[in-house]
Amino acid sequence: QHEVDKLYKVESRPALSTSDQFCFLVRPRIKTMRYIADIVNADKMSGRSRKYKIIFSPQKVSLTVLCCHLPHVTCDEWSFYLLPLDEDIISMELPEFFRDYFLEGDHRWINSVARALQLLNSLYGPFGKAYGIGRCAKMSYELWRDLEEESEGDSQGRKPEIGNVFLMDRDPDYVTALCSQMVYEGLVDDTFRIKCGSVDFGPDVTSSDKSIKVLLNAQDKVFSQIRNEHFSSVFGFLSQKSRNLQAQYDRRRGMDIKQMKNFVSQELKGLKQEHRLLSLHIGACESIMKKKTKQDFQEMIKAEHSLLEGFDIRESTSFIEEHIDRQVSPIESLRLMCLLSITENGLIPKDYRSLKTQYLQSYGPEHLLTFHNLKRIGLLTEQSAGETLTAVESKVSKLVTDRAAGKITDAFNSLARRSNFRAISKKLGLIPRVDGEYDLKMPRDMAYVFSGAYVPLSCKIIEQVLERRGWLGLEEVVRLLNGNEFSISDSAVEDNPAWESQRVILAVFLGGCTFSEIAALRFLGKERG
Amino acid sequence: MSRARADEEEYWHSSKFRAFTFDDEDDELSQLKESKRAVNSLRDIVDDDDDDLERVSWSGEPVGSISWSIKETASSSTSSLEGRDSSLQKGSSSYAAFPKQVSSYSLSSLFKGRNKLPSFQSLSDALSDTGIKNYAPELRKPKADYKDYSSDWSPKDTVRRMQRGKVCSLERFRSLQDKLVLLDEAVAGHDGNVITAVLIFLKRTLRREILFRELEVRQVALCHLIHFLKETGEQKLLLDLLRFLDRTEEVALSQYREHLNIQDVEKRREFLKGCIGLPFSAEDTSHIQDHYTLLERQIIIEANDRHLESAGQSEIFRKYPRKASILNMPLVTTLFYSCFYHYTEAEGTFSSPTNLKKTFKIPDKQYVLTALAARAKLRAWDDVDALFTTKNWLGYTKKKAPIGFHRVVEILQRNNAPVQVLQEYVRLVEDVETRLNLATKYKCHDVVIETYRDLKDRIQLTAYKCKVERGSAEEDKINSILNN
């Protein structure tokens, strides 16, 4: 009845069409607004009169409301907050979140997070306990409680299905996000980029001349078995599977008509499916291998592990320098530099200067801006000799007078905050001590996601807090992580350990999380029930 | 934390790290290759015709249908990441991990659950002709819901209403005091949209100096305003604000950033020249200076070379026509280009590598690496040789390199250097184990033999015999060594 003529992607190209109504379903972004404005203006210039409707998802942002003052344009919202990507992953699909909040200090998405929590709450009943760490986590939680109070409380009376929720900012743990991933799903993401639960495999993977887009989730029988495995186990598994497949097909030889008929009608489809999946994943593995051997992966992992553990720092720094000199990859070079900076609490000034210069020479002088942004966020800093914390603090306190802004904000946080990675690592035992070989096939802790070298900090925190049902005993760690932790239980919900829902945990990463962390959490889930 | 050397050795040799390598020799790779062969051989059996890969989207709808395209459109507009000065964004959506079991409400209930939340399904339904009734009314919410001109909401309540998506008129907040209370309430409420909305109002209704002064002591609000100004491109106001706050370096950076919007090279060059005087730190000023100088050079080189290329006289340009212009490329790339096309030129010209090295103070290591890569690509082995040969004061020549020789070998090998050339450099690799590895890998038999001889390792030498051809010079060599 509404007769959609055609669907277009919103871009800078003019939209040619004969219909006199345009409907835009977009994310609230300035860039998109500009495209739309261009289209509207182009129409105006050519004398076309049309009606336009813009639907923002998940919600309007004050910025974009300005655009709604164009003639013939009306705006609306579609509150689509959560996208289930898999049986145990939900995403809000807001890639701008990290930059907007952590770099620019803009709180615009906190409302979205709060609403998403509200949504989950109303669908799945009240959460038992809420834990969190980080400023953004705290704010989101507070806003959510605020919204919850006002609403009709229609989650009352609903049986709670989620036991606990854990809100975590990205910034207590940048290290994990900076490490090279070793689990299959992580490597696929690093190599091909998984977007919205699906990935594009090119001709070199499909062994044909087409590229295809593949959905990667628990439905893919092959994928679901290898996704969380360390890459070293994957080969064994795939070869085993292909041998089985071969055996299955070979059974055909001894069959009579009736059996063959049965085979074709019942089993063949499943086998074909499996065959297709297997060949895709084998192709993907090959691509990954090729890419890694080309890039000196082995040496890079060695450097990363050294940085995590804290020795051979000079060697690692030289490796990074060479990496930059060889113009291997702008992102990888930066990633390594940030890892060095965070684990070592900043680069020594000499190194900072020289690596920065070399980076600008290798990858382009405009990255001067990149370095400044990274410094602001605290990902790539210099060890400052002179300026002590107290000097900065007193300068700041002179400016900050009123109660609303009483807390020191993120901009100053990066000065006030020191990385403290080594101390935290020691306290939480993030670097496992192993006698003999670390068994990657039957791992005994979450460190397997990084070949046994390091337990992801974020996951470890989650594990510890859930175990202790609070932050008791972790005070030192919290201090090293710059505070902002909380642990709140809903008095209306009884803390009944017998309830099955208690076993369900919702972990929310504000700012994104890696597949390695997901794999580690799945491991934890399996281990602890 | 430093470990003793012995500890280190032990650490690295422990199988913890052998557990997984990416080396080609690995059994596991050949295992993989085997599985691939196995699977491929099955292709003949599997009938590919009707195996038309049915691509199904996550909601179960076949690809190509409207509902699938909608999702595509939405997700692809989500995926554009900012280009230039991007901070690291790894998987940077807000992810939530939700363990599987238990729920009697499947995840799809997220969508079907309640009327208030229009589901993905119903949108697609709406557009493909059924069930429109579910959705359309949402789009035409009663006006009353949106606009609210009733006058008596307090600042706190106003903020709350705004948080819940209701548009409120802020006009009634006339006095400065009221406005500030409103702003503080907005900040306390954590919702960035509300904060920005209030700021838009304040920006319009307050005198600049007052606004700036008040924001100076309100960090959170300040961040929001700065971000807003950046997004809307109100450069002038932004710079004024930053100057007021005495954030001179940010002023400089903000202005410098503008160069990215200038497409025309000449204009960009002019602009960069202007940037040199900006209040950067001393270090950054020299970077900006370099940027300007580099672009200036590139313009000259580009003009010259384009001329040369079209004139058709120069052999190198004929043999290796340029695929892209050198403008706006990083320094190292420019150096590579110069080593490729202008290697023999004297230091005086703008396009000579030595000139670039001098002007930009390129360290030896970088220079050698780049020159090597360029000459190797051209298969100019003599030039490569000359790079590493130095005459000492006695007149003897000696080979040395500021980068490890294993790197040299790697680069040569990547450019398919002949074994005789490779061999020379493998021989120079200091670390014995690496030398043996490389020599064996690239079949530099002489080097292997010599090394085993030096190590006095008869066993390995004998074992190596089977790797060389029967009756070859290498075999003779081995035999003669073994017999002595």
Side-chain angles (χ1 to χ4, degrees), chain A residues 126-173:
Chain A
F127 303 137
K129 251 186 139 170
Y131 304 104
I133 182 153
R135 268 194 76 226
C136 189
K138 207 162 195 180
M139 290 196 282
S140 307
Y141 179 80
E142 282 169 14
L143 184 56
W144 168 47
R145 289 315 319 171
D146 228 17
L147 292 173
E148 205 59 62
E149 258 167 38
E150 275 226 345
S151 71
E152 305 85 62
D154 32 30
S155 65
Q156 301 302 357
R158 212 184 279 239
K159 178 162 172 273
E161 300 197 47
I162 301 180
N164 298 300
V165 64
F166 200 110
L167 293 160
M168 181 156 200
D169 279 12
R170 186 70 258 172
D171 57 355
D173 181 13

Side-chain angles (χ1 to χ4, degrees), chain A residues 237-433:
Chain A
F237 178 83
L238 288 175
S239 70
Q240 176 75 3
K241 269 238 128 113
S242 45
R243 272 200 294 273
N244 286 349
L245 195 64
Q246 182 90 39
Q248 299 261 39
Y249 273 123
D250 285 345
R251 277 173 35 214
R252 285 159 52 245
R253 305 202 185 282
M255 286 186 187
D256 61 30
I257 294 289
K258 185 153 183 286
Q259 287 175 318
M260 183 70 92
K261 197 165 163 203
N262 206 15
F263 179 75
V264 169
S265 65
Q266 313 226 309
E267 298 185 38
L268 190 59
K269 184 147 183 242
L271 287 179
K272 265 209 232 173
Q273 174 79 332
E274 206 175 309
H275 167 260
R276 182 172 78 82
L277 293 174
L278 260 185
S279 69
L280 270 179
H281 286 295
I282 291 181
C285 280
E286 267 196 2
S287 264
I288 294 173
M289 286 286 296
K290 236 190 295 181
K291 192 157 180 228
K292 296 302 182 189
T293 39
K294 226 167 60 157
Q295 281 178 355
D296 253 350
F297 197 62
Q298 200 51 27
E299 265 194 72
M300 181 158 73
I301 295 287
K302 183 174 165 185
E304 280 183 30
H305 289 174
S306 302
L307 290 174
L308 288 168
E309 309 212 12
F311 67 97
D312 260 352
I313 301 297
R314 287 316 316 159
E315 270 188 43
S316 304
T317 313
S318 313
F319 175 81
I320 298 177
E321 190 182 32
E322 235 183 71
H323 195 270
I324 297 175
D325 283 349
R326 285 158 58 212
Q327 291 182 303
V328 178
S329 148
I331 296 282
E332 291 292 311
S333 294
L334 272 182
R335 181 177 67 79
L336 290 167
M337 283 172 78
C338 292
L339 188 59
L340 172 62
S341 172
I342 300 214
T343 52
E344 285 290 296
N345 250 332
L347 270 57
I348 62 180
K350 185 165 80 76
D351 284 342
Y352 184 83
R353 272 197 304 272
S354 115
L355 287 177
K356 179 174 169 179
T357 308
Q358 287 175 292
Y359 191 92
L360 296 183
Q361 288 182 342
S362 280
Y363 298 114
E366 64 275 11
H367 285 290
L368 188 72
L369 299 163
T370 313
F371 273 79
H372 272 274
N373 283 342
L374 289 174
K375 200 172 209 176
R376 254 171 72 194
I377 271 193
L379 276 171
L380 183 52
T381 54
E382 224 177 313
Q383 286 170 8
S384 51
E387 203 166 43
T388 62
L389 190 54
T390 44
V392 174
E393 261 186 311
S394 59
K395 202 158 87 173
V396 169
S397 59
K398 281 204 201 90
L399 295 174
V400 176
T401 52
D402 73 57
R403 39 190 171 74
K407 313 169 198 161
I408 301 180
T409 64
D410 298 292
F412 287 80
N413 258 351
S414 60
L415 287 173
R417 183 202 307 148
R418 289 170 61 77
S419 161
N420 298 319
F421 178 72
R422 299 254 177 267
I424 297 176
S425 165
K426 211 165 171 186
K427 272 240 155 266
L428 289 174
L430 297 179
I431 314 284
R433 289 271 162 270

Side-chain angles (χ1 to χ4, degrees), chain B residues 47-80:
Chain B
D47 200 351
D48 269 342
D49 285 332
D50 53 331
D51 204 11
D52 212 13
L53 307 166
E54 203 197 273
R55 290 147 60 185
V56 172
S57 77
W58 61 271
S59 64
E61 250 114 357
V63 156
S65 76
I66 292 179
S67 42
W68 176 83
S69 327
I70 298 174
K71 188 222 165 206
E72 272 298 88
T73 313
S75 65
S76 41
S77 63
T78 325
S79 61
S80 51

Side-chain angles (χ1 to χ4, degrees), chain A residues 1 4 8-9 29-30 34 61-63 76 78 80 82 84 86-90 92-95 98-100 104-108 111 115 119 123-124 139 142-143 146-147 150 158 161-162 177-178 190 196 215 231-232 235 239 242 249 272 275-276 279 286 289 293 296-297 302 305-306 309-312 322 325-327 353 356-357 360-366 368 372-373 399 402 409 412 437 500 503 505 507 509 512, chain B residues 1 8 11-12 15-17 20-22 28-29 32 35-36 39 42 45-46 50 53 56 58 69 73 75-78 84-86 88-107 110-111 114 117-118 127 129 132 135 139 146 160 163-164 189-193 196-197 217-220 223-224 227-228 230-232 249 253 256 283-284 287-288 291 330-333 360 366 369 407:
Chain A
Q1 197 180 21
V4 173
Y8 300 90
K9 192 160 113 163
R29 290 195 188 119
I30 265 291
R34 291 213 177 102
V61 158
S62 51
L63 189 53
D76 214 316
W78 178 36
F80 176 68
L82 297 169
D86 205 334
E87 289 174 11
D88 56 358
I89 309 180
I90 313 179
M92 287 183 71
E93 290 301 306
L94 290 171
F98 183 83
R99 198 188 169 114
D100 282 349
E104 306 287 357
D106 194 322
H107 299 174
R108 62 173 60 154
N111 190 316
R115 285 195 192 267
L119 177 58
L123 282 177
Y124 296 105
M139 290 196 282
E142 282 169 14
L143 184 56
D146 228 17
L147 292 173
E150 275 226 345
R158 212 184 279 239
E161 300 197 47
I162 301 180
L178 292 171
D190 281 352
C196 274
L215 213 52
F231 200 58
S232 59
F235 294 165
S239 70
S242 45
Y249 273 123
K272 265 209 232 173
H275 167 260
R276 182 172 78 82
S279 69
E286 267 196 2
M289 286 286 296
T293 39
D296 253 350
F297 197 62
K302 183 174 165 185
H305 289 174
S306 302
E309 309 212 12
F311 67 97
D312 260 352
E322 235 183 71
D325 283 349
R326 285 158 58 212
Q327 291 182 303
R353 272 197 304 272
K356 179 174 169 179
T357 308
L360 296 183
Q361 288 182 342
S362 280
Y363 298 114
E366 64 275 11
L368 188 72
H372 272 274
N373 283 342
L399 295 174
D402 73 57
T409 64
F412 287 80
E437 188 173 326
E500 212 168 81
R503 290 163 48 205
I505 321 282
F509 286 86
Chain B
M1 229 199 291
E8 264 179 58
Y11 180 76
W12 286 112
S15 37
K16 180 164 155 182
F17 289 84
F20 183 62
T21 65
F22 274 105
E28 288 171 327
L29 179 60
L32 183 65
S35 347
K36 187 167 188 183
V39 171
L42 295 174
I45 310 173
V46 174
D50 53 331
L53 307 166
V56 172
W58 61 271
S69 327
T73 313
S75 65
S76 41
S77 63
T78 325
R84 289 296 180 153
D85 46 344
S86 54
L88 295 173
Q89 296 190 44
K90 190 153 187 164
S92 52
S93 355
S94 280
Y95 270 70
F98 187 104
K100 30 183 160 184
Q101 69 238 120
V102 177
S103 182
S104 50
Y105 294 87
S106 70
L107 281 177
L110 274 176
F111 297 104
R114 341 188 80 238
L117 305 157
L127 293 179
D129 212 14
I132 334 141
Y135 195 69
L139 288 178
Y146 276 111
R160 291 191 120 206
Q163 277 174 358
R164 281 134 187 84
H190 303 319
D191 185 341
N193 291 320
T196 308
V217 297
R218 293 173 169 81
Q219 282 303 316
V220 174
C223 286
H224 282 81
H227 190 207
F228 176 74
K230 275 192 203 164
E231 284 191 308
T232 51
E249 200 170 16
L253 284 169
Y256 173 65
E283 226 180 275
D284 283 345
H287 289 310
I288 304 283
H291 190 180
L331 177 60
V332 172
T333 312
F360 295 100
Q366 176 73 275
L369 196 59
R407 275 275 170 253

Side-chain angles (χ1 to χ4, degrees), chain B residues 177-229:
Chain B
Q177 185 62 12
D178 282 345
K179 289 174 180 163
L180 291 178
V181 171
L182 180 65
L183 182 60
D184 290 339
E185 280 300 331
V187 170
H190 303 319
D191 185 341
N193 291 320
V194 177
I195 301 175
T196 308
V198 172
L199 284 170
I200 293 174
F201 167 64
L202 292 186
K203 176 169 155 289
R204 192 165 43 90
T205 60
L206 279 182
R207 276 213 352 252
R208 245 206 231 169
E209 301 77 41
I210 302 181
L211 178 63
F212 286 3
R213 193 192 66 209
E214 292 302 329
L215 286 181
E216 192 175 13
V217 297
R218 293 173 169 81
Q219 282 303 316
V220 174
L222 181 60
C223 286
H224 282 81
L225 182 60
I226 292 179
H227 190 207
F228 176 74
L229 293 176

